[in-house]
Amino acid sequence: MAALALPLALPSGATATIHTPYRAAAPDAPSGSTHTMMLAPLATSGRALGSPLAEGLPERSVKPFSLLGVTWGDSRTDLEGTVQVRTRAVGTGVWSAWRDVESHSEDAPDAGSPEATEAGVRGATAPLWVGRSDGVEVRVVPKRTGGVRGALPALPKGLRLDMVDPGDDPPGAPSAAPSTAGAPPSGTGPTSEAAPSDPVDDPVDDPTRPGDKGDKGDKGDKGDKGDKDDEPGNADEGDVTDPTDTTGTDDELPVVPALTQAETEKITGRHYIGARPRIVTRAGWGADESLRTEDFLFTDQVDTVFVHHSATGNDYDCADAPSLIRSIYRYHIKSSGWRDIGYNFLVDKCGTIYEGRGGGVAKAVFGAHTLGFNADSVGVAVLGTFSDDEPSEKALAAVARLAAWKLGIYGHNPAGTAYLLSGGSNKYRKGVRVSFNSISGHRDGFATECPGTVLYDDLGYIRRKAAALQGR
């Protein structure tokens, strides 16, 4: 894929600086690969005169892969249909049952931006993690609109299956187990003197944990609109940084270590900031830096954290998370045609936090995660699908820790609100000034199922926990 050109102008609401960083040398043998196969009309479809044909691939053997998705030629065209796959596991030879692939992926660059309109950008389903596989079968069926007698839309042109092999983990990859340094003891308020052995999870009988569904991502958490810190323009500029943030340097480390709240306050000069959590860097999860566009892009500040689910399914072990992230990274670049992975951060079911899009974990990096609201925001994806399944308590606690730290750098209360200027979405027209909770779900800015109903219902809990971690 040709390298994407740098934007000459940003979507509304973004003021960016462009920085050419140290570029890590590509590995001698780049890890991972993408294998594609064009879909074709299925023999059993289109029997009715004028009926659009279903497309797919008959059962076949393929090169080993671990993640897949379906892409098509025009990113502005929606896939109005159902996508299903079945795969054969390497080693056992056992075929899976048919699995659904989310046909819409609204984690995307802003409309009209060069990243969204550059040649080579494709429409894409959400990626699906299937584990190590060497056989596949695919079917894409048009979805009837307007009821039983409604029309069948044509499928997008250029449908293909993209299969990603994530390659091997980098030598000396960090443990998936998250550090607890800087986290408060269970059942207490935040502290700046927490020891590395302090637990991070809430007790099962904590009345504020996600079992309390009363707030459903509640808009009631917008109560402090008058908080000066939440007014537009009052956050620090985008050059706020952490001197120990090693990402983007010529001595990149696999992990940004956790700090206590006192250490974090000393480094940033901020009060009401959560302790910096342990973050596995791009080097730690094995990003091939030769894949992405070379330059980094920044916005002014971080006003809002948008929570997502990756929609990649829940059938992964924590040890698989680096491979899963490398697969999403390669899918976003090689299959969708973006400049880098779309999310700023990712969190696995064990509560490990990973750096996403490059540029530095403390910086206001311009991402591609919430169509229309990528400016002045951060996208955090919890690895998994949470339309029906509950995310782990460790994952929720990690999102809260990350949000308490990241919003604190820019002077924001996680339980407050902030305004963002729409770059255009299917929910808010371009140029509209929209009030969001400082921690919002993807669906708050775009009409989508993301981050899944169950995870969305947990956002009120995440806000309260993050605010407490800041000492509010």
Side-chain angles (χ1 to χ4, degrees), residues 446-463:
F446 193 96
T448 174
E449 292 297 315
C450 184
T453 299
V454 181
L455 178 53
Y456 187 77
D457 286 351
D458 291 333
L459 294 185
Y461 164 78
I462 292 173
R463 294 184 195 109

PDB file of all heavy atoms in Angstrom, residues 446-463:
ATOM      1  N   PHE A 446     -21.869   8.926  17.452  1.00  0.00           N
ATOM      2  CA  PHE A 446     -22.169   8.296  16.169  1.00  0.00           C
ATOM      3  C   PHE A 446     -23.229   7.237  16.408  1.00  0.00           C
ATOM      4  O   PHE A 446     -23.185   6.531  17.419  1.00  0.00           O
ATOM      5  CB  PHE A 446     -20.894   7.657  15.593  1.00  0.00           C
ATOM      6  CG  PHE A 446     -20.996   7.259  14.151  1.00  0.00           C
ATOM      7  CD1 PHE A 446     -20.533   8.103  13.152  1.00  0.00           C
ATOM      8  CD2 PHE A 446     -21.538   6.038  13.771  1.00  0.00           C
ATOM      9  CE1 PHE A 446     -20.613   7.738  11.810  1.00  0.00           C
ATOM     10  CE2 PHE A 446     -21.621   5.669  12.443  1.00  0.00           C
ATOM     11  CZ  PHE A 446     -21.156   6.528  11.464  1.00  0.00           C
ATOM     12  N   ALA A 447     -24.190   7.126  15.495  1.00  0.00           N
ATOM     13  CA  ALA A 447     -25.245   6.121  15.635  1.00  0.00           C
ATOM     14  C   ALA A 447     -24.668   4.748  15.332  1.00  0.00           C
ATOM     15  O   ALA A 447     -24.556   4.341  14.176  1.00  0.00           O
ATOM     16  CB  ALA A 447     -26.411   6.430  14.689  1.00  0.00           C
ATOM     17  N   THR A 448     -24.279   4.035  16.375  1.00  0.00           N
ATOM     18  CA  THR A 448     -23.617   2.741  16.259  1.00  0.00           C
ATOM     19  C   THR A 448     -23.921   1.917  17.498  1.00  0.00           C
ATOM     20  O   THR A 448     -24.331   2.467  18.533  1.00  0.00           O
ATOM     21  CB  THR A 448     -22.088   2.923  16.120  1.00  0.00           C
ATOM     22  OG1 THR A 448     -21.441   1.645  16.154  1.00  0.00           O
ATOM     23  CG2 THR A 448     -21.533   3.775  17.247  1.00  0.00           C
ATOM     24  N   GLU A 449     -23.709   0.618  17.433  1.00  0.00           N
ATOM     25  CA  GLU A 449     -23.854  -0.238  18.606  1.00  0.00           C
ATOM     26  C   GLU A 449     -22.658  -0.121  19.547  1.00  0.00           C
ATOM     27  O   GLU A 449     -22.747  -0.443  20.721  1.00  0.00           O
ATOM     28  CB  GLU A 449     -24.021  -1.697  18.167  1.00  0.00           C
ATOM     29  CG  GLU A 449     -25.334  -1.992  17.455  1.00  0.00           C
ATOM     30  CD  GLU A 449     -26.533  -1.755  18.364  1.00  0.00           C
ATOM     31  OE1 GLU A 449     -26.496  -2.184  19.529  1.00  0.00           O
ATOM     32  OE2 GLU A 449     -27.493  -1.118  17.900  1.00  0.00           O
ATOM     33  N   CYS A 450     -21.518   0.306  19.031  1.00  0.00           N
ATOM     34  CA  CYS A 450     -20.282   0.405  19.808  1.00  0.00           C
ATOM     35  C   CYS A 450     -20.451   1.387  20.980  1.00  0.00           C
ATOM     36  O   CYS A 450     -21.050   2.449  20.792  1.00  0.00           O
ATOM     37  CB  CYS A 450     -19.157   0.872  18.890  1.00  0.00           C
ATOM     38  SG  CYS A 450     -17.522   0.940  19.650  1.00  0.00           S
ATOM     39  N   PRO A 451     -20.010   1.060  22.170  1.00  0.00           N
ATOM     40  CA  PRO A 451     -19.124  -0.035  22.572  1.00  0.00           C
ATOM     41  C   PRO A 451     -19.859  -1.286  23.031  1.00  0.00           C
ATOM     42  O   PRO A 451     -19.340  -2.051  23.845  1.00  0.00           O
ATOM     43  CB  PRO A 451     -18.372   0.584  23.744  1.00  0.00           C
ATOM     44  CG  PRO A 451     -19.388   1.450  24.415  1.00  0.00           C
ATOM     45  CD  PRO A 451     -20.214   2.012  23.290  1.00  0.00           C
ATOM     46  N   GLY A 452     -21.052  -1.525  22.530  1.00  0.00           N
ATOM     47  CA  GLY A 452     -21.867  -2.632  23.005  1.00  0.00           C
ATOM     48  C   GLY A 452     -22.705  -2.176  24.182  1.00  0.00           C
ATOM     49  O   GLY A 452     -22.261  -1.388  25.021  1.00  0.00           O
ATOM     50  N   THR A 453     -23.938  -2.665  24.248  1.00  0.00           N
ATOM     51  CA  THR A 453     -24.875  -2.201  25.277  1.00  0.00           C
ATOM     52  C   THR A 453     -24.364  -2.452  26.690  1.00  0.00           C
ATOM     53  O   THR A 453     -24.508  -1.614  27.577  1.00  0.00           O
ATOM     54  CB  THR A 453     -26.236  -2.897  25.080  1.00  0.00           C
ATOM     55  OG1 THR A 453     -26.741  -2.551  23.788  1.00  0.00           O
ATOM     56  CG2 THR A 453     -27.229  -2.460  26.141  1.00  0.00           C
ATOM     57  N   VAL A 454     -23.730  -3.585  26.914  1.00  0.00           N
ATOM     58  CA  VAL A 454     -23.302  -3.927  28.268  1.00  0.00           C
ATOM     59  C   VAL A 454     -22.164  -3.012  28.719  1.00  0.00           C
ATOM     60  O   VAL A 454     -22.185  -2.470  29.830  1.00  0.00           O
ATOM     61  CB  VAL A 454     -22.885  -5.408  28.354  1.00  0.00           C
ATOM     62  CG1 VAL A 454     -22.467  -5.766  29.772  1.00  0.00           C
ATOM     63  CG2 VAL A 454     -24.034  -6.314  27.912  1.00  0.00           C
ATOM     64  N   LEU A 455     -21.164  -2.816  27.873  1.00  0.00           N
ATOM     65  CA  LEU A 455     -20.065  -1.925  28.232  1.00  0.00           C
ATOM     66  C   LEU A 455     -20.562  -0.483  28.359  1.00  0.00           C
ATOM     67  O   LEU A 455     -20.125   0.253  29.251  1.00  0.00           O
ATOM     68  CB  LEU A 455     -18.944  -2.025  27.197  1.00  0.00           C
ATOM     69  CG  LEU A 455     -17.726  -1.111  27.398  1.00  0.00           C
ATOM     70  CD1 LEU A 455     -17.142  -1.250  28.795  1.00  0.00           C
ATOM     71  CD2 LEU A 455     -16.664  -1.397  26.332  1.00  0.00           C
ATOM     72  N   TYR A 456     -21.475  -0.070  27.513  1.00  0.00           N
ATOM     73  CA  TYR A 456     -22.013   1.287  27.600  1.00  0.00           C
ATOM     74  C   TYR A 456     -22.704   1.510  28.945  1.00  0.00           C
ATOM     75  O   TYR A 456     -22.597   2.586  29.540  1.00  0.00           O
ATOM     76  CB  TYR A 456     -22.989   1.537  26.454  1.00  0.00           C
ATOM     77  CG  TYR A 456     -23.472   2.975  26.380  1.00  0.00           C
ATOM     78  CD1 TYR A 456     -22.649   3.977  25.858  1.00  0.00           C
ATOM     79  CD2 TYR A 456     -24.744   3.326  26.817  1.00  0.00           C
ATOM     80  CE1 TYR A 456     -23.084   5.293  25.797  1.00  0.00           C
ATOM     81  CE2 TYR A 456     -25.179   4.639  26.756  1.00  0.00           C
ATOM     82  CZ  TYR A 456     -24.349   5.619  26.236  1.00  0.00           C
ATOM     83  OH  TYR A 456     -24.785   6.921  26.181  1.00  0.00           O
ATOM     84  N   ASP A 457     -23.389   0.505  29.414  1.00  0.00           N
ATOM     85  CA  ASP A 457     -24.062   0.615  30.710  1.00  0.00           C
ATOM     86  C   ASP A 457     -23.074   0.764  31.869  1.00  0.00           C
ATOM     87  O   ASP A 457     -23.453   1.196  32.958  1.00  0.00           O
ATOM     88  CB  ASP A 457     -24.934  -0.623  30.960  1.00  0.00           C
ATOM     89  CG  ASP A 457     -26.209  -0.615  30.123  1.00  0.00           C
ATOM     90  OD1 ASP A 457     -26.495   0.414  29.493  1.00  0.00           O
ATOM     91  OD2 ASP A 457     -26.902  -1.640  30.104  1.00  0.00           O
ATOM     92  N   ASP A 458     -21.814   0.398  31.655  1.00  0.00           N
ATOM     93  CA  ASP A 458     -20.799   0.482  32.703  1.00  0.00           C
ATOM     94  C   ASP A 458     -20.079   1.836  32.740  1.00  0.00           C
ATOM     95  O   ASP A 458     -19.219   2.052  33.596  1.00  0.00           O
ATOM     96  CB  ASP A 458     -19.742  -0.612  32.495  1.00  0.00           C
ATOM     97  CG  ASP A 458     -20.289  -2.004  32.748  1.00  0.00           C
ATOM     98  OD1 ASP A 458     -21.240  -2.142  33.532  1.00  0.00           O
ATOM     99  OD2 ASP A 458     -19.753  -2.965  32.148  1.00  0.00           O
ATOM    100  N   LEU A 459     -20.412   2.751  31.842  1.00  0.00           N
ATOM    101  CA  LEU A 459     -19.649   3.992  31.759  1.00  0.00           C
ATOM    102  C   LEU A 459     -19.825   4.874  32.996  1.00  0.00           C
ATOM    103  O   LEU A 459     -18.885   5.573  33.402  1.00  0.00           O
ATOM    104  CB  LEU A 459     -20.031   4.772  30.496  1.00  0.00           C
ATOM    105  CG  LEU A 459     -19.663   4.112  29.166  1.00  0.00           C
ATOM    106  CD1 LEU A 459     -19.997   5.052  28.016  1.00  0.00           C
ATOM    107  CD2 LEU A 459     -18.191   3.726  29.125  1.00  0.00           C
ATOM    108  N   GLY A 460     -21.013   4.872  33.592  1.00  0.00           N
ATOM    109  CA  GLY A 460     -21.205   5.655  34.810  1.00  0.00           C
ATOM    110  C   GLY A 460     -20.276   5.197  35.912  1.00  0.00           C
ATOM    111  O   GLY A 460     -19.700   6.011  36.656  1.00  0.00           O
ATOM    112  N   TYR A 461     -20.105   3.899  36.051  1.00  0.00           N
ATOM    113  CA  TYR A 461     -19.179   3.322  37.027  1.00  0.00           C
ATOM    114  C   TYR A 461     -17.744   3.765  36.736  1.00  0.00           C
ATOM    115  O   TYR A 461     -16.991   4.148  37.640  1.00  0.00           O
ATOM    116  CB  TYR A 461     -19.291   1.799  36.991  1.00  0.00           C
ATOM    117  CG  TYR A 461     -18.155   1.061  37.649  1.00  0.00           C
ATOM    118  CD1 TYR A 461     -18.088   0.943  39.034  1.00  0.00           C
ATOM    119  CD2 TYR A 461     -17.149   0.477  36.883  1.00  0.00           C
ATOM    120  CE1 TYR A 461     -17.042   0.257  39.634  1.00  0.00           C
ATOM    121  CE2 TYR A 461     -16.106  -0.207  37.467  1.00  0.00           C
ATOM    122  CZ  TYR A 461     -16.054  -0.314  38.851  1.00  0.00           C
ATOM    123  OH  TYR A 461     -15.009  -0.995  39.431  1.00  0.00           O
ATOM    124  N   ILE A 462     -17.352   3.727  35.453  1.00  0.00           N
ATOM    125  CA  ILE A 462     -16.000   4.135  35.074  1.00  0.00           C
ATOM    126  C   ILE A 462     -15.775   5.599  35.413  1.00  0.00           C
ATOM    127  O   ILE A 462     -14.718   5.979  35.933  1.00  0.00           O
ATOM    128  CB  ILE A 462     -15.764   3.863  33.576  1.00  0.00           C
ATOM    129  CG1 ILE A 462     -15.741   2.352  33.300  1.00  0.00           C
ATOM    130  CG2 ILE A 462     -14.466   4.505  33.106  1.00  0.00           C
ATOM    131  CD1 ILE A 462     -15.672   1.995  31.829  1.00  0.00           C
ATOM    132  N   ARG A 463     -16.780   6.451  35.178  1.00  0.00           N
ATOM    133  CA  ARG A 463     -16.636   7.880  35.494  1.00  0.00           C
ATOM    134  C   ARG A 463     -16.411   8.095  36.986  1.00  0.00           C
ATOM    135  O   ARG A 463     -15.543   8.869  37.400  1.00  0.00           O
ATOM    136  CB  ARG A 463     -17.881   8.643  35.046  1.00  0.00           C
ATOM    137  CG  ARG A 463     -18.100   8.693  33.556  1.00  0.00           C
ATOM    138  CD  ARG A 463     -19.312   9.557  33.195  1.00  0.00           C
ATOM    139  NE  ARG A 463     -19.701   9.289  31.822  1.00  0.00           N
ATOM    140  CZ  ARG A 463     -20.789   8.636  31.458  1.00  0.00           C
ATOM    141  NH1 ARG A 463     -21.645   8.207  32.385  1.00  0.00           N
ATOM    142  NH2 ARG A 463     -21.056   8.421  30.189  1.00  0.00           N
TER     143      ARG A 463
END
